[in-house]
Amino acid sequence: SQTIHQWPATLVQPVGSPLSLECTVEGTSNPNLYWYRQAAGRGLQLLFYSVGIGQISSEVPQNLSASRPQDRQFILSSKKLLLSDSGFYLCAWFTGDSFSYEQYFGPGTRLTVT
Amino acid sequence: GQNIDQPTEMTATEGAIVQINCTYQTSGFNGLFWYQQHAGEAPTFLSYNVLDGLEEKGRFSSFLSRSKGYSYLLLKELQMKDSASYLCAVTDSGNTPLVFGKGTRLSVIA
């Protein structure tokens, strides 16, 4: 079965500090991987997605970046955090065909920027 | 543009049936997802509809009308553990990521 790992689970960082969140997937190869953010009281916002190693698509221009150094590893980074970067960050794996899709989320990282 | 609308909050009684509606206006459409999200946790996948009609999975059913841009999630025999947010999301092609609504917070009361 497929499993998504994320760490850390919670993080408190000062404004202007760097960020690195990691996501790894087990039990599948060449998955489509996604980073979402959920801010308090708001819906899920897609940040980045990747269909393969080194392939990153950005949905929202901001001070965050993503990388996919290995097939089952997806990293979210920032050089300088802003207060508005606080939120619940979720990595997701997505699979399926025209009539049957499934998407699974990792446990998430709750980031508080102070 | 992409727009997905859901009611913000709903309350229902334990043992009852509740219907959570979702309407969407998107530039493309391939299918619609429903997720359950308990407070402080990641969403969990409930269902995916690509064809019109009703799909049933135990106590949960999901309906889609592509011509009307409308879906609903039907929860039967409500239990206290069903208190959660329910997220509607749309995908417009096989590899295109999902656009989410803001979710409906359901409270199940005794």
Side-chain angles (χ1 to χ4, degrees):
Chain A
S1 64
Q2 295 80 16
T3 307
I4 304 178
H5 301 280
Q6 282 187 249
W7 60 90
T10 59
L11 193 59
V12 179
Q13 293 281 98
V15 168
S17 63
L19 174 73
S20 181
L21 302 181
E22 188 163 345
C23 168
T24 59
V25 181
E26 292 180 4
T28 185
S29 58
N30 197 30
N32 292 340
L33 295 174
Y34 302 79
W35 278 112
Y36 290 90
R37 177 173 61 201
Q38 189 174 38
R42 299 181 65 183
L44 280 162
Q45 178 188 32
L46 176 66
L47 302 176
F48 300 96
Y49 70 96
S50 171
V51 298
I53 295 174
Q55 300 179 62
I56 306 294
S57 296
S58 173
E59 291 293 308
V60 182
Q62 55 202 335
N63 67 317
L64 300 173
S65 62
S67 62
R68 186 161 175 182
Q70 300 180 41
D71 181 44
R72 286 172 280 183
Q73 185 184 32
F74 202 20
I75 297 173
L76 182 70
S77 304
S78 175
K79 293 182 179 179
K80 287 186 178 181
L81 284 169
L82 306 173
L83 283 175
S84 57
D85 291 325
S86 293
F88 191 34
Y89 287 81
L90 292 156
C91 179
W93 164 76
F94 183 78
T95 187
D97 55 30
S98 297
F99 294 96
S100 178
Y101 291 152
E102 293 183 7
Q103 188 184 46
Y104 296 95
F105 288 90
T109 295
R110 195 163 300 280
L111 171 67
T112 303
V113 182
T114 61
Chain B
Q2 315 276 43
N3 189 46
I4 299 178
D5 287 316
Q6 306 178 233
T8 304
E9 293 188 24
M10 297 182 72
T11 302
T13 305
E14 192 176 16
I17 299 173
V18 70
Q19 178 175 312
I20 302 174
N21 296 325
C22 171
T23 58
Y24 60 89
Q25 295 169 318
T26 56
S27 54
F29 179 83
N30 195 51
L32 187 142
F33 287 75
W34 281 99
Y35 292 84
Q36 180 190 61
Q37 186 178 24
H38 284 100
E41 298 181 8
T44 55
F45 169 78
L46 291 177
S47 66
Y48 177 68
N49 292 69
V50 63
L51 301 175
D52 285 356
L54 185 69
E55 300 223 355
E56 298 185 63
K57 278 187 182 181
R59 294 190 299 115
F60 291 8
S61 302
S62 56
F63 171 84
L64 175 66
S65 170
R66 297 175 67 117
S67 62
K68 295 182 179 178
Y70 168 69
S71 173
Y72 66 74
L73 181 70
L74 194 69
L75 290 76
K76 301 177 183 177
E77 300 170 16
L78 280 172
Q79 302 175 10
M80 300 301 285
K81 67 179 182 179
D82 297 330
S83 293
S85 287
Y86 291 85
L87 312 178
C88 169
V90 168
T91 184
D92 65 5
S93 75
N95 284 325
T96 300
L98 306 185
V99 177
F100 281 80
K102 293 184 179 179
T104 299
R105 187 163 56 193
L106 174 67
S107 298
V108 180
I109 58 176

